[in-house]
Amino acid sequence: MGESIVRLEKVRKTFPLPEGGTVTALGNINLDVARNEFLTLLGPSGCGKTTLLHSISGFVQLNSGCVYVDGEDVTDRPPHRRPVNTVFQNYALFPHMTVGNNVGYALDIAGARRAERNTQVGAALDMVGLGGLEKRLPRQLSGGQQQRVALARAIIARPKLLLLDEPLSALDRNLRQSMQIELKTLQAELGISFIFVTHDQEEALTMSNRVAVLEGGKIQQIDAPLAIYNKPSNEFVASFIGASNLFRGTIENGTVTTDDGDKIRTSASTGTGPITALLRPEQFSIANGGEIAAETGRLDVSIRQIVFSGAGYEIHGRTDNHHDVVASIAATHQALVAGAEASRKATLTYDPAAVHLIATEGARS
Amino acid sequence: MRLARILGSSGLTFYTLIFFAFIYVPIGLIVIYSFNADPVNMMRWSGFTFDWYKQIFGLKNAASEAALYIESTDQLLAAVRTSLIVAASTTMVATVLGTAAALAVYRFSFFGKRFYRVLLFVPMLMPDIVLGIALLIFFVGVGISLGIGTIIIGQCTFLISYVFIVVSARLAGMDRTLENASADLGADEWTTFRKIILPQVMPGVVGGAMLAFIISMDDLVITYFVSGTSTQTLPIFIFGMLRRGIKPEVNAIAVMMLLFSFTIAAAGLYLHRRKR
Ligand SMILES: Nc1ncnc2c1ncn2[C@@H]1O[C@H](COP(=O)(O)OP(=O)(O)OP(=O)(O)O)[C@@H](O)[C@H]1O
Ligand SMILES: [Mg+2]
């Protein structure tokens, strides 16, 4: 088939501001979601994640653009006639209905037969691990259980696409991690596409086939988690996802000379002009005082602070040219870290091939 | 320290007792004296009797006793019937219109919405006597003859406000994403209204209706102005009796009205609990 389950074409949505003027929640969004894909929308608060979901489920009127679900143009269809279901951020369970009636709602609306409906409700509740709780009211459930009811309610009619708006944000860390795995399993079992909203980057990276990073109503980058992490396409993505060391400067003969005066080696062989180099903290090693190979990159820093984080150490250093650098060093290098702490100095090394180059903001336009 | 606390708390207890006594002792006395056999001085206990209740219902002919003011039981029953008809009609009209207004203000955004909201509050805050005079002048000016019809219209003007406020309060506590959730699961607007919105505002609607009913049964000032000369509701009837002195049957009528109000309030509470 190859045809995508959702396609957004030049979708644009602005909201009027009470004091006049407008805010652009979505600016010309183009998006294709493949069948069976687990796509995560990631971005800071107010970047348009919810609005993007609403444009698919039909809760906002677009200024322009088209929305296709399963090949059909649904742009002008009201929400109740779109083959899409949603798990809402605050669950939105019907407080006056039992769990069973909440979960069975879509089937009741569709006019399913009683017996059929009841077995399906039972099956959906079993699937989320809440079998036998049909008679309870939503307020008699814990937050995690309510979340599962919302999930069961949204999947019972087997939509082609499930939209999840920060479904895990209200859960505590442990419950959240187990729900992440369950959601992933469920998605594989049901064989439906998920569009999942979160502002937790770790969650986005662990769960998705692809991640779309949003900012200011625009998709900054859409890619596989690894590519998003290692090859961010701009400085926003680089700094939003994970800790990052950004070195702005100009490149010549494969070496970036930063505006501060530091030199970063890269494996690039051509190109000159303004550029930003990215090094993730874990791409640094700490030199052991021995010979450093000529082709290895090095950065001498003075130590500002060393933090033990469980899996290793975070070294916060500063170059001679006053550029702050963060390096994470595995706990096995404890002795070297201790030495650095004593001398207040360290030499950090990195593989020039690991340096990712980003077109400098402003220089692009 | 400890002493002060005990004094403080016993002082508070004392205040609380006085507070409730002030409210409930007079009411308790009415109940007690409604069973007092003394026909002349109510405040002097001279034995237990059901006579006043019997008289109200015409079971005992007490025409010989000079103390009685109910010339005929029929008059009282007629007043009760008028009150019930008025209360039932106004409750129905005020509940439907008040609920509709509350839903409209909740659901739609339209020009001047805030202003409408204030307009709906005002009749409740307006002094009864002003509203009464205004209505009277209006009815007379337009040429509507005073009677049960004008009583119903007059009471509706402010009862709609009560229902509107009670239902609005209920709607304000409602989560709007529930409507989205319902639509998301395939329900059209009408189904969403029926299955999600209505069941949730129902306790508010029932509460507003009961409030309207009790207030209608009880209203004197506005009703007095717009009732004309030939129509009497129960409060007007009682008021008329009082002008000729406080007599024992009044106690009995008061006790029965009290019972009636309690029954409605209790039914309301029960329904409210069950609905939740
Ligand atoms: N109904 C509305 N009226 C006016 N502005 C709105 C409305 N809904 C959203 N916005 C604006 O549109 C922008 C995007 O909002 P949206 O709710 O999509 O953000 P979000 O990414 O979901 O944020 P969050 O992570 O906080 O949920 C914001 O600037 C917001 O203020
Ligand atoms: Mg949101």
Side-chain angles (χ1 to χ4, degrees):
Chain A
M1 291 249 275
E3 190 184 58
S4 51
I5 186 76
V6 179
R7 152 172 262 155
L8 303 190
E9 274 176 10
K10 293 191 178 155
V11 165
R12 193 178 152 72
K13 174 67 195 172
T14 59
F15 289 106
L17 290 173
E19 64 270 20
T22 56
V23 53
T24 305
L26 299 175
N28 271 357
I29 297 263
N30 290 304
L31 178 67
D32 266 293
V33 184
R35 277 168 209 284
N36 243 325
E37 179 169 11
F38 196 122
L39 175 77
T40 298
L41 304 180
L42 178 65
S45 189
C47 69
K49 305 182 294 290
T50 299
T51 311
L52 181 53
L53 285 197
H54 282 353
S55 72
I56 299 171
S57 52
F59 295 123
V60 293
Q61 292 246 301
L62 302 180
N63 297 60
S64 58
C66 291
V67 179
Y68 299 88
V69 176
D70 202 19
E72 281 181 70
D73 185 349
V74 299
T75 314
D76 297 318
R77 271 200 223 171
H80 69 272
R81 289 184 42 233
R82 298 192 184 198
V84 174
N85 284 143
T86 307
V87 177
F88 290 86
Q89 184 163 0
N90 59 354
Y91 314 145
L93 297 179
F94 307 128
H96 59 293
M97 290 186 185
T98 61
V99 166
N101 286 341
N102 263 283
V103 175
Y105 192 78
L107 299 182
D108 292 339
I109 297 296
R113 276 212 245 100
R114 204 76 203 156
E116 165 84 355
R117 177 246 191 217
N118 287 342
T119 46
Q120 284 204 44
V121 168
L125 282 173
D126 283 341
M127 191 174 263
V128 297
L130 291 180
L133 294 189
E134 280 94 336
K135 291 276 170 317
R136 296 263 196 102
L137 285 172
R139 70 187 141 85
Q140 295 166 327
L141 300 178
S142 73
Q145 287 172 325
Q146 292 182 19
Q147 205 280 325
R148 286 155 197 260
V149 174
L151 190 61
R153 183 177 72 173
I155 59 174
I156 195 162
R158 294 298 149 108
K160 293 172 175 157
L161 172 68
L162 190 65
L163 308 175
L164 303 101
D165 195 353
E166 303 196 36
L168 307 181
S169 61
L171 306 182
D172 68 49
R173 200 180 156 77
N174 284 335
L175 192 55
R176 193 150 116 189
Q177 280 171 348
S178 69
M179 279 306 296
Q180 285 175 2
I181 295 165
E182 277 181 48
L183 272 179
K184 202 55 198 148
T185 319
L186 197 69
Q187 190 247 345
E189 265 173 37
L190 292 171
I192 59 182
S193 316
F194 277 32
I195 301 184
F196 181 94
V197 165
T198 182
H199 56 236
D200 180 335
Q201 40 154 312
E202 205 180 308
E203 196 166 277
L205 295 178
T206 53
M207 294 182 75
S208 336
N209 301 118
R210 280 194 304 163
V211 177
V213 181
L214 261 73
E215 159 66 2
K218 293 224 162 67
I219 295 182
Q220 301 293 329
Q221 186 172 5
I222 177 161
D223 237 322
L226 197 66
I228 292 269
Y229 188 75
N230 284 336
K231 297 187 165 34
S233 61
N234 61 39
E235 286 184 23
F236 173 80
V237 177
S239 48
F240 187 70
I241 312 265
S244 53
N245 298 292
L246 291 172
F247 300 91
R248 288 182 182 211
T250 45
I251 189 165
E252 199 165 357
N253 298 326
T255 298
V256 176
T257 306
T258 70
D259 304 342
D260 300 326
D262 293 313
K263 291 199 187 307
I264 303 293
R265 282 199 189 191
T266 75
S267 54
S269 49
T270 56
T272 54
I275 202 105
T276 301
L278 165 71
L279 270 167
R280 295 293 186 187
E282 57 281 0
Q283 284 162 341
F284 284 114
S285 306
I286 185 163
N288 57 12
E291 191 86 355
I292 296 173
E295 65 274 13
T296 306
R298 65 178 287 170
L299 215 49
D300 295 302
V301 297
S302 54
I303 306 291
R304 298 173 60 221
Q305 204 179 5
I306 296 183
V307 182
F308 179 61
S309 69
Y313 296 92
E314 254 177 34
I315 298 182
H316 296 260
R318 183 172 282 175
T319 66
D320 297 340
N321 300 309
H322 304 288
H323 191 87
D324 289 345
V325 176
V326 184
S328 40
I329 306 296
T332 46
H333 294 113
Q334 189 195 350
L336 293 174
V337 173
E341 187 152 31
S343 65
R344 308 307 296 169
K345 272 188 183 341
T347 300
L348 301 173
T349 60
Y350 57 88
D351 176 4
V355 177
H356 177 64
L357 295 175
I358 301 168
T360 303
E361 306 284 314
R364 281 186 302 173
S365 53
Chain B
M1 207 45 213
R2 202 183 147 82
L3 188 69
R5 203 181 314 150
I6 289 170
L7 272 182
S9 83
S10 66
L12 197 62
T13 311
F14 182 67
Y15 165 76
T16 310
L17 281 178
I18 293 286
F19 177 83
F20 283 113
F22 188 74
I23 299 176
Y24 286 106
V25 165
I27 296 173
L29 281 179
I30 285 185
V31 177
I32 291 169
Y33 285 122
S34 73
F35 297 107
N36 186 359
D38 194 314
V40 183
N41 187 349
M42 265 182 5
M43 298 297 171
R44 195 180 62 213
W45 184 261
S46 65
F48 184 89
T49 179
F50 276 119
D51 282 0
W52 314 123
Y53 290 92
K54 286 181 188 157
Q55 243 149 94
I56 289 171
F57 289 107
L59 296 178
K60 185 175 181 220
N61 190 359
S64 59
E65 291 191 43
L68 291 181
Y69 287 103
I70 302 180
E71 286 109 39
S72 80
T73 315
D74 293 349
Q75 221 180 339
L76 172 68
L77 288 181
V80 169
R81 203 174 55 230
T82 308
S83 268
L84 286 176
I85 292 172
V86 167
S89 321
T90 51
T91 299
M92 212 138 65
V93 175
T95 304
V96 170
L97 294 185
T99 303
L103 284 171
V105 168
Y106 167 77
R107 192 75 181 78
F108 306 110
S109 48
F110 44 86
F111 178 75
K113 180 160 148 172
R114 278 204 190 157
F115 181 61
Y116 277 106
R117 203 194 295 269
V118 172
L119 278 189
L120 278 159
F121 269 99
V122 166
M124 205 180 77
L125 305 173
M126 195 144 37
D128 280 2
I129 198 149
V130 175
L131 198 57
I133 293 171
L135 284 166
L136 179 63
I137 293 172
F138 172 76
F139 288 138
V140 171
V142 172
I144 303 174
S145 61
L146 301 180
I148 197 161
T150 50
I151 297 177
I152 292 172
I153 298 172
Q155 288 191 355
C156 277
T157 54
F158 65 98
L159 289 179
I160 289 173
S161 296
Y162 282 92
V163 176
F164 173 80
I165 285 162
V166 173
V167 176
S168 286
R170 185 83 197 174
L171 281 167
M174 236 169 73
D175 181 0
R176 286 210 171 200
T177 55
L178 295 182
E179 288 172 53
N180 281 358
S182 172
D184 189 72
L185 294 163
D188 56 28
E189 286 202 28
W190 170 239
T191 312
T192 300
F193 177 73
R194 226 167 20 90
K195 298 189 81 155
I196 306 298
I197 300 177
L198 206 55
Q200 288 192 81
V201 294
M202 220 43 210
V205 175
V206 172
M210 285 180 172
L211 192 66
F213 193 89
I214 291 176
I215 294 174
S216 167
M217 286 295 286
D218 178 62
D219 182 67
L220 176 64
V221 178
I222 292 168
T223 310
Y224 192 75
F225 275 98
V226 297
S227 60
T229 46
S230 57
T231 318
Q232 277 193 323
T233 61
L234 189 57
I236 293 178
F237 181 77
I238 295 171
F239 187 62
M241 283 170 71
L242 289 184
R243 279 195 301 192
R244 288 174 283 166
I246 301 175
K247 288 296 159 186
E249 311 95 302
V250 172
N251 290 335
I253 296 173
V255 169
M256 286 194 303
M257 284 182 78
L258 205 60
L259 271 179
F260 185 72
S261 296
F262 276 173
T263 311
I264 290 186
L269 269 182
Y270 173 74
L271 283 177
H272 191 64
R273 290 263 165 78
R274 226 188 33 169
K275 276 266 157 64
R276 288 222 151 193

